[in-house]
């Protein structure tokens, strides 16, 4: 069952009550199925025994007609009510759901594992980035307001250790990160001029040298306007920085200034300081990543999550401080693909074309995303507890289920086959056979 952290505006869903069939237990597989009617169970246990893996028959395309799913965004895929197929119960505790069994098993490999490694504050955690030269993973902690520290996970020891650190000068609330030429490029959303120790900062792009801890601001305005809150970032082969701009900083209390411009996607060239709008049609541009060949750019739209008027800590005071985030189940929660084209202009500036939607989130809203070495997309579900694995056309191959919301992901290790899921309240490690890209 999907666990959301906030009170959500629920919409009613109607379910039709039918007389339930009596399930039988398969003595070989231990799977609940509907033998009396001869129907094939929708969900079966499958795959290696090192993790709780289930497969969905034919992508779960046909369910008994008595099924229903509440339109409330708080209800996840496993929370769909399927009273006439008890096999559906297997989804609740599954770590991996395979929609495409063949390709899903290839992704998992022979011994997939998932483990929550660290408990962290119940605030959003973002911007995970692996630095191979140090064998360390850097993670940003978005909140509480005034927080100037980030996290670093040392992978040189077993078990890994987690520590806080501050850059020089301090950086207020990075939210997206990319490694390029040994430096960490940060999308920084914090906007405040009355921070501790007299620090003043506007949102923009910063560059961190992980070897020294020193950071420099590369961009902090669009021709005199504040950015709303740069959210995520990707660096192309030429060193141009592509980033999304959203207004979540205001909703999270990390900016005291509402948006001055549209929520857009930009391209920034550090060598000249030139910043250009490249996309203006998404409701809330969020995650951003290039395909391995650089010819396709993927951007997520988390329009389902919008800045609200009333601050809340969520159900059971789950969040560490009140935030203003509302959820609209019928708003966009999509992943888009764009062609990246070379320009004939004197500076050769690339541009985007052929926008196409390739995926609507199974649950939650798509947040950070990364592209594996083989071109598969790995998409965090934001305030939902999962990660979706897609092929380049958007077909859902598998879903990873964590025990905490997942805002972003990053690979680590020599073979880049360890995936870290970071989010509210937890950091989880997944070991499988899907390798990440080389930086």
């Amino acid at each position: 069952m999907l666990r959301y952290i906030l009170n959500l505006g629920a919409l009613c869903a109607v379910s039709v009550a039918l007389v339930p069939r009596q399930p039988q237990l398969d003595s070989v597989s231990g799977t609940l199925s509907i033998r009396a009617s001869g129907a094939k169970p929708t969900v079966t246990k499958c795959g290696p025994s090192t993790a709780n893996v289930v497969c969905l028959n034919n992508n779960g395309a046909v369910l008994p007609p008595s099924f229903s799913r509440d339109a409330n965004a708080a209800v996840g895929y496993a929370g769909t009510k399927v009273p006439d197929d008890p096999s559906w119960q297997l989804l609740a505790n599954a770590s991996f759901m395979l929609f495409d069994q063949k390709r899903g098993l290839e992704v998992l490999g022979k011994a997939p594992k998932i483990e929550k490694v660290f408990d962290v504050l119940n605030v959003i955690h973002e911007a995970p980035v692996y630095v191979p030269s140090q064998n360390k993973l850097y993670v940003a902690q978005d909140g509480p307001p005034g927080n100037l520290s980030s996290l670093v996970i040392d992978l040189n020891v077993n078990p890994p250790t987690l520590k806080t650190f501050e850059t020089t000068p301090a950086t207020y609330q990075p939210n997206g990160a990319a490694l390029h030429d040994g430096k960490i490029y940060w999308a920084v959303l914090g906007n405040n001029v009355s921070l501790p120790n007299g620090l003043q900062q506007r949102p923009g792009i910063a560059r961190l040298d992980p070897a020294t801890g020193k950071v420099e601001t590369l961009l902090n305005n669009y021709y005199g306007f504040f950015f709303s809150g740069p959210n995520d970032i990707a660096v192309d082969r030429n060193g141009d920085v592509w980033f999304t701009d959203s207004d979540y900083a205001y909703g999270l209390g990390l900016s005291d200034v509402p948006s001055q411009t549209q929520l857009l996607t930009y391209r920034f060239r550090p060598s000249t300081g030139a910043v250009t709008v490249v996309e203006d049609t998404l409701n809330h541009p969020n995650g951003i990543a290039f395909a391995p060949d650089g010819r396709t750019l993927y951007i997520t739209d988390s329009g389902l999550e919008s800045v609200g008027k009333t601050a809340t800590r969520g159900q059971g005071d789950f969040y560490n401080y009140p935030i203003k985030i509302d959820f609209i189940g019928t708003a966009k929660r999509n992943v888009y693909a764009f062609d990246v084209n070379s320009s004939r202009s004197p500076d050769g500036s690339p541009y985007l074309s052929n926008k196409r939607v390739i995926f609507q989130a199974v649950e939650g809203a798509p947040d950070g995303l990364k592209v594996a070495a083989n071109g598969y997309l790995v998409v965090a579900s934001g305030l939902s507890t999962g990660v979706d694995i897609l092929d380049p056309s958007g077909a859902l191959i598998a879903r990873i289920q964590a025990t905490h919301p997942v805002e972003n992901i990053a690979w680590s290790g020599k073979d880049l086959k360890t995936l870290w899921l970071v989010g509210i309240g937890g950091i989880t490690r997944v070991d499988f056979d899907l390798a990440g890209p080389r930086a």
Side-chain angles (χ1 to χ4, degrees):
M1 175 70 70
L2 167 66
R3 181 183 67 179
Y4 257 69
I5 65 168
L6 301 175
N7 291 314
L8 309 174
L11 300 176
C12 292
V14 178
S15 86
V16 180
L18 298 179
V19 177
R21 306 181 185 95
Q22 295 301 313
Q24 295 182 2
L25 184 65
D26 189 315
S27 60
V28 177
S29 67
T31 300
L32 287 168
S33 60
I34 310 168
R35 299 300 186 191
S37 66
K40 187 174 183 179
T42 306
V43 185
T44 57
K45 283 187 170 293
C46 62
S49 60
T50 53
N52 190 349
V53 184
V54 298
C55 289
L56 285 101
N57 177 42
N58 198 33
N59 277 281
V62 178
L63 299 176
S66 58
F67 81 90
S68 66
R69 181 174 175 181
D70 198 319
N72 185 347
V75 179
Y77 181 60
T80 304
K81 296 179 180 179
V82 189
D84 287 341
D85 186 352
S87 74
W88 194 259
Q89 300 169 22
L90 295 171
L91 291 183
N93 296 314
S95 297
F96 300 95
M97 302 179 188
L98 305 187
F99 295 85
D100 182 322
Q101 182 170 346
K102 180 178 182 298
R103 293 191 292 178
L105 290 174
E106 290 172 352
V107 163
L108 296 188
K110 296 181 179 180
K113 296 178 182 179
I114 182 169
E115 176 189 10
K116 185 180 181 183
V117 181
F118 299 107
D119 292 309
V120 292
L121 288 178
N122 284 339
V123 299
I124 289 172
H125 289 79
E126 271 275 11
V129 60
Y130 176 61
V131 179
S133 61
Q134 297 181 330
N135 196 28
K136 293 180 179 181
L137 184 77
Y138 290 78
V139 180
Q141 176 180 296
D142 289 351
N147 170 60
L148 298 177
S149 64
S150 292
L151 307 176
V152 60
I153 300 172
D154 189 347
L155 302 175
N156 296 290
V157 293
N158 189 18
T161 58
L162 177 69
K163 295 182 179 180
T164 61
F165 76 98
E166 287 189 16
T167 61
T168 307
T171 307
Y172 186 46
Q173 307 299 170
N175 194 77
L179 187 70
H180 180 72
D181 286 345
K183 304 292 178 64
I184 295 174
Y185 285 74
W186 267 340
V188 180
L189 55 73
N191 188 1
N192 200 309
V193 292
S194 57
L195 293 164
N197 302 318
L199 178 68
Q200 298 184 353
Q201 181 187 281
R202 297 303 186 188
I205 304 301
R207 182 168 56 199
L208 168 68
D209 184 344
T212 65
K214 293 182 178 180
V215 68
E216 57 180 322
T217 298
L218 303 180
L219 176 70
N220 72 354
N221 74 96
Y222 182 78
Y223 298 99
F225 290 115
F226 300 137
F227 290 108
S228 298
N231 188 296
D232 213 342
I233 190 170
V235 183
D236 67 21
R237 296 176 178 179
N238 298 318
D240 284 356
V241 177
W242 301 63
F243 66 97
T244 56
D245 192 34
S246 71
D247 60 355
Y248 293 129
Y250 190 68
L252 294 173
L254 307 178
S255 171
D256 52 9
V257 181
S259 295
Q260 294 187 332
T261 62
Q262 301 174 69
L263 305 182
L264 305 169
T265 301
Y266 296 89
R267 181 182 54 79
F268 168 60
R269 182 160 290 176
S271 61
T272 65
V275 59
T276 305
V277 175
V278 294
E279 213 291 319
D280 71 344
T281 66
L282 304 187
N283 287 353
H284 277 81
N286 198 319
I288 185 169
F290 286 97
D293 62 6
R295 298 173 62 181
T296 304
L297 181 69
Y298 301 100
I299 306 176
T300 65
D301 187 342
S302 53
L304 179 147
E305 303 167 6
S306 62
V307 174
K309 296 181 179 180
T310 304
T312 173
R313 292 184 60 179
Q315 297 175 354
D317 285 340
F318 178 73
Y319 208 74
N320 268 95
Y321 66 94
I323 61 176
K324 299 177 181 178
I325 302 292
D326 288 344
F327 299 88
I328 305 171
T330 56
K332 290 184 178 179
R333 42 177 144 178
N334 302 332
V335 179
Y336 293 88
F338 301 81
D339 293 342
V340 182
N341 305 280
S342 299
S343 172
R344 296 182 179 179
S345 63
D347 66 354
S349 298
Y351 65 94
L352 301 179
S353 66
N354 192 25
K355 173 190 174 185
R356 56 219 182 258
V357 61
I358 62 170
F359 183 67
Q360 178 177 262
V362 172
E363 57 186 56
D367 201 320
L369 83 159
K370 299 294 189 293
V371 183
N374 69 352
Y376 286 179
L377 283 68
V378 183
V379 186
S381 296
L383 297 182
S384 162
T385 58
V387 173
D388 293 314
I389 301 175
L390 320 173
D391 73 11
S393 69
L396 180 59
I397 297 171
R399 181 170 176 82
I400 304 171
Q401 290 287 111
T403 59
H404 57 84
V406 181
E407 279 89 52
N408 218 322
I409 69 258
W411 277 278
S412 72
K414 292 182 179 180
D415 57 3
L416 294 175
K417 290 186 178 181
T418 296
L419 185 71
W420 293 86
L421 321 180
V422 306
I424 299 169
I427 298 176
T428 292
R429 178 177 59 202
V430 177
D431 293 300
F432 60 172
D433 259 15
L434 185 63
R438 297 287 174 183

